[in-house]
Coordinates of all heavy atoms in Angstrom, one line a residue:
P710 N -12.8 8.3 -28.4 CA -11.9 7.7 -27.4 C -12.6 7.5 -26.1 O -13.4 8.3 -25.6 CB -10.8 8.7 -27.3 CG -11.4 10.0 -27.7 CD -12.5 9.6 -28.7
G711 N -12.2 6.4 -25.4 CA -12.7 6.2 -24.0 C -11.8 7.0 -23.1 O -11.1 7.9 -23.5
K712 N -11.8 6.5 -21.8 CA -11.0 7.3 -20.8 C -10.3 6.3 -19.9 O -10.8 6.2 -18.7 CB -11.8 8.3 -20.1 CG -11.0 9.3 -19.3 CD -11.9 10.3 -18.7 CE -11.2 11.3 -17.7 NZ -12.1 12.2 -17.1
E713 N -9.3 5.6 -20.3 CA -8.4 4.9 -19.4 C -7.5 5.9 -18.8 O -7.0 6.8 -19.5 CB -7.6 3.8 -20.2 CG -6.7 3.0 -19.2 CD -6.1 1.8 -19.9 OE1 -5.2 2.0 -20.7 OE2 -6.6 0.7 -19.7
E714 N -7.2 5.8 -17.6 CA -6.3 6.8 -16.9 C -5.4 6.2 -15.9 O -5.6 5.0 -15.5 CB -7.2 7.9 -16.3 CG -8.1 7.4 -15.1 CD -9.1 8.4 -14.7 OE1 -9.5 9.3 -15.5 OE2 -9.6 8.3 -13.5
A715 N -4.4 6.9 -15.5 CA -3.5 6.5 -14.4 C -3.3 7.7 -13.5 O -3.1 8.8 -13.9 CB -2.2 6.0 -15.0
W716 N -3.3 7.4 -12.2 CA -3.0 8.3 -11.1 C -1.6 8.1 -10.5 O -1.3 7.0 -10.2 CB -4.0 8.2 -10.0 CG -5.5 8.2 -10.4 CD1 -6.1 8.8 -11.4 CD2 -6.5 7.4 -9.7 NE1 -7.4 8.6 -11.4 CE2 -7.7 7.7 -10.4 CE3 -6.5 6.5 -8.6 CZ2 -8.9 7.1 -10.1 CZ3 -7.7 6.0 -8.3 CH2 -8.9 6.3 -9.0
I717 N -0.9 9.2 -10.4 CA 0.4 9.1 -9.7 C 0.4 10.1 -8.5 O 0.2 11.3 -8.7 CB 1.5 9.6 -10.7 CG1 1.5 8.7 -12.0 CG2 2.9 9.5 -10.0 CD1 2.1 9.3 -13.2
V718 N 0.4 9.5 -7.3 CA 0.2 10.3 -6.1 C 1.5 11.1 -5.8 O 2.6 10.5 -5.6 CB -0.2 9.5 -4.9 CG1 -0.3 10.3 -3.7 CG2 -1.5 8.8 -5.2
L719 N 1.4 12.4 -5.8 CA 2.5 13.3 -5.5 C 2.6 13.8 -4.1 O 3.7 14.1 -3.6 CB 2.5 14.5 -6.5 CG 2.4 14.2 -8.0 CD1 2.2 15.5 -8.7 CD2 3.6 13.4 -8.4
D720 N 1.5 13.8 -3.4 CA 1.4 14.2 -2.0 C 0.1 13.6 -1.5 O -0.9 13.6 -2.2 CB 1.5 15.7 -1.8 CG 1.9 16.1 -0.4 OD1 2.3 15.2 0.4 OD2 1.8 17.3 -0.1
A721 N 0.1 13.3 -0.2 CA -1.1 12.7 0.4 C -1.2 13.0 1.9 O -0.2 12.8 2.6 CB -1.2 11.2 0.2
D722 N -2.3 13.4 2.4 CA -2.6 13.6 3.8 C -2.5 12.2 4.4 O -2.7 11.2 3.7 CB -3.9 14.2 4.1 CG -3.9 15.7 3.7 OD1 -2.8 16.2 3.3 OD2 -5.0 16.3 3.7
A723 N -2.4 12.1 5.7 CA -2.2 10.9 6.4 C -3.4 9.9 6.3 O -3.2 8.7 6.2 CB -1.9 11.1 7.9
D724 N -4.6 10.5 6.1 CA -5.7 9.6 6.0 C -6.3 9.5 4.6 O -7.5 9.1 4.5 CB -6.8 10.1 7.0 CG -7.2 11.6 6.7 OD1 -6.5 12.2 6.0 OD2 -8.2 12.0 7.3
A725 N -5.6 9.9 3.6 CA -6.1 10.0 2.3 C -6.3 8.6 1.7 O -5.5 7.7 2.0 CB -5.1 10.8 1.4
R726 N -7.4 8.5 0.9 CA -7.7 7.2 0.3 C -8.1 7.3 -1.1 O -8.6 8.4 -1.6 CB -8.9 6.6 1.1 CG -8.7 6.3 2.5 CD -7.7 5.1 2.7 NE -7.6 4.7 4.1 CZ -6.7 5.2 4.9 NH1 -5.9 6.1 4.6 NH2 -6.7 4.7 6.2
L727 N -7.9 6.3 -1.9 CA -8.4 6.1 -3.3 C -9.3 4.9 -3.3 O -9.1 3.9 -2.6 CB -7.3 6.0 -4.3 CG -6.3 7.2 -4.4 CD1 -5.0 6.7 -5.0 CD2 -6.9 8.3 -5.2
W728 N -10.3 4.8 -4.2 CA -11.1 3.6 -4.4 C -11.1 3.3 -5.9 O -11.3 4.2 -6.8 CB -12.5 3.9 -3.9 CG -12.6 4.1 -2.4 CD1 -12.8 3.1 -1.5 CD2 -12.5 5.3 -1.7 NE1 -12.9 3.6 -0.3 CE2 -12.6 5.0 -0.4 CE3 -12.2 6.6 -2.1 CZ2 -12.6 6.0 0.6 CZ3 -12.2 7.6 -1.1 CH2 -12.3 7.3 0.2
A729 N -10.9 2.1 -6.2 CA -10.9 1.6 -7.6 C -11.2 0.2 -7.7 O -10.6 -0.7 -7.1 CB -9.6 1.9 -8.3
G730 N -12.3 -0.2 -8.5 CA -12.8 -1.5 -8.6 C -13.8 -1.8 -7.5 O -13.7 -1.3 -6.4
V731 N -14.7 -2.8 -7.8 CA -15.7 -3.1 -6.7 C -15.2 -4.3 -5.9 O -14.3 -5.1 -6.4 CB -17.0 -3.5 -7.4 CG1 -17.6 -2.3 -8.2 CG2 -16.9 -4.7 -8.3
R732 N -15.7 -4.4 -4.7 CA -15.3 -5.6 -3.9 C -15.8 -6.9 -4.4 O -16.8 -6.9 -5.1 CB -15.8 -5.3 -2.4 CG -15.2 -4.2 -1.7 CD -15.8 -4.1 -0.3 NE -15.3 -2.9 0.4 CZ -14.1 -2.9 1.1 NH1 -13.4 -4.0 1.2 NH2 -13.7 -1.8 1.8
P733 N -15.1 -8.0 -4.2 CA -15.6 -9.3 -4.6 C -17.0 -9.5 -4.2 O -17.4 -9.3 -3.0 CB -14.6 -10.3 -4.0 CG -13.3 -9.5 -3.8 CD -13.8 -8.1 -3.4
G734 N -17.8 -10.0 -5.1 CA -19.2 -10.4 -4.8 C -20.2 -9.3 -5.0 O -21.4 -9.5 -4.9
V735 N -19.7 -8.0 -5.2 CA -20.6 -6.9 -5.5 C -21.1 -7.0 -6.9 O -20.3 -7.1 -7.9 CB -19.9 -5.6 -5.2 CG1 -20.8 -4.4 -5.6 CG2 -19.6 -5.5 -3.7
S736 N -22.4 -6.9 -7.1 CA -23.0 -7.0 -8.4 C -23.4 -5.6 -8.9 O -23.4 -4.6 -8.2 CB -24.3 -7.9 -8.4 OG -25.3 -7.2 -7.6
R737 N -23.8 -5.5 -10.2 CA -24.3 -4.3 -10.7 C -25.6 -3.8 -10.0 O -25.8 -2.6 -9.7 CB -24.6 -4.5 -12.2 CG -24.8 -3.2 -13.0 CD -25.1 -3.5 -14.5 NE -24.1 -4.4 -15.0 CZ -23.0 -4.0 -15.6 NH1 -22.8 -2.7 -15.8 NH2 -22.1 -4.8 -16.1
D738 N -26.5 -4.8 -9.6 CA -27.7 -4.4 -8.9 C -27.3 -3.9 -7.5 O -27.9 -2.9 -7.0 CB -28.6 -5.6 -8.7 CG -29.3 -6.0 -10.0 OD1 -29.3 -5.1 -11.0 OD2 -29.7 -7.1 -10.2
D739 N -26.3 -4.5 -6.9 CA -25.8 -4.0 -5.6 C -25.4 -2.5 -5.7 O -25.7 -1.7 -4.8 CB -24.7 -4.8 -5.0 CG -25.1 -6.2 -4.7 OD1 -26.2 -6.4 -4.3 OD2 -24.2 -7.1 -4.8
L740 N -24.6 -2.2 -6.7 CA -24.2 -0.8 -6.9 C -25.3 0.1 -7.2 O -25.3 1.3 -6.7 CB -23.2 -0.8 -8.1 CG -21.8 -1.4 -7.9 CD1 -21.1 -1.6 -9.2 CD2 -21.0 -0.6 -6.9
A741 N -26.3 -0.3 -7.9 CA -27.5 0.5 -8.1 C -28.2 0.9 -6.8 O -28.6 2.0 -6.6 CB -28.5 -0.2 -9.1
R742 N -28.4 -0.1 -6.0 CA -29.0 0.1 -4.7 C -28.1 1.0 -3.8 O -28.6 1.9 -3.1 CB -29.3 -1.2 -4.0 CG -30.4 -2.0 -4.6 CD -30.8 -3.2 -3.7 NE -29.8 -4.2 -3.7 CZ -29.7 -5.2 -4.6 NH1 -30.7 -5.4 -5.5 NH2 -28.7 -6.1 -4.5
A743 N -26.8 0.8 -3.8 CA -25.9 1.5 -3.0 C -25.8 3.0 -3.4 O -25.7 3.9 -2.6 CB -24.5 0.9 -3.0
A744 N -25.9 3.2 -4.8 CA -25.9 4.6 -5.3 C -27.2 5.3 -4.8 O -27.1 6.5 -4.5 CB -25.8 4.6 -6.8
A745 N -28.3 4.6 -4.7 CA -29.5 5.2 -4.3 C -29.5 5.6 -2.8 O -30.1 6.6 -2.4 CB -30.7 4.3 -4.6
D746 N -28.9 4.7 -2.0 CA -29.0 5.0 -0.5 C -27.7 5.6 0.0 O -27.5 5.8 1.2 CB -29.3 3.7 0.3 CG -28.2 2.6 0.1 OD1 -27.1 2.9 -0.1 OD2 -28.6 1.4 0.4
G747 N -26.7 6.0 -0.9 CA -25.5 6.7 -0.4 C -24.4 5.8 0.2 O -23.5 6.4 0.8
T748 N -24.4 4.5 -0.1 CA -23.4 3.7 0.5 C -22.5 3.1 -0.5 O -21.8 2.1 -0.2 CB -24.1 2.5 1.3 OG1 -24.9 1.7 0.4 CG2 -25.0 3.0 2.4
V749 N -22.4 3.7 -1.7 CA -21.7 3.0 -2.8 C -20.2 3.0 -2.5 O -19.5 2.0 -3.0 CB -22.0 3.8 -4.1 CG1 -21.4 5.2 -4.1 CG2 -21.5 3.0 -5.3

């Protein structure tokens, strides 16, 4: 089995954030470079 999942937020601090999906125009190579330099 893979791992599709869903998050249901029950409580959140005022500045809390989630990230899901890459921004338009970001490529796999961009992600590889960003993972290496800490900007992913």
Side-chain angles (χ1 to χ4, degrees):
K712 191 177 176 185
E713 182 172 77
E714 63 190 26
W716 310 325
I717 303 158
V718 177
L719 304 177
D720 198 10
D722 293 349
D724 58 349
R726 297 291 188 271
L727 297 161
W728 293 268
V731 301
R732 293 181 182 275
V735 173
S736 69
R737 194 180 308 269
D738 288 342
D739 293 331
L740 289 169
R742 287 189 291 269
D746 65 22
T748 61
V749 69

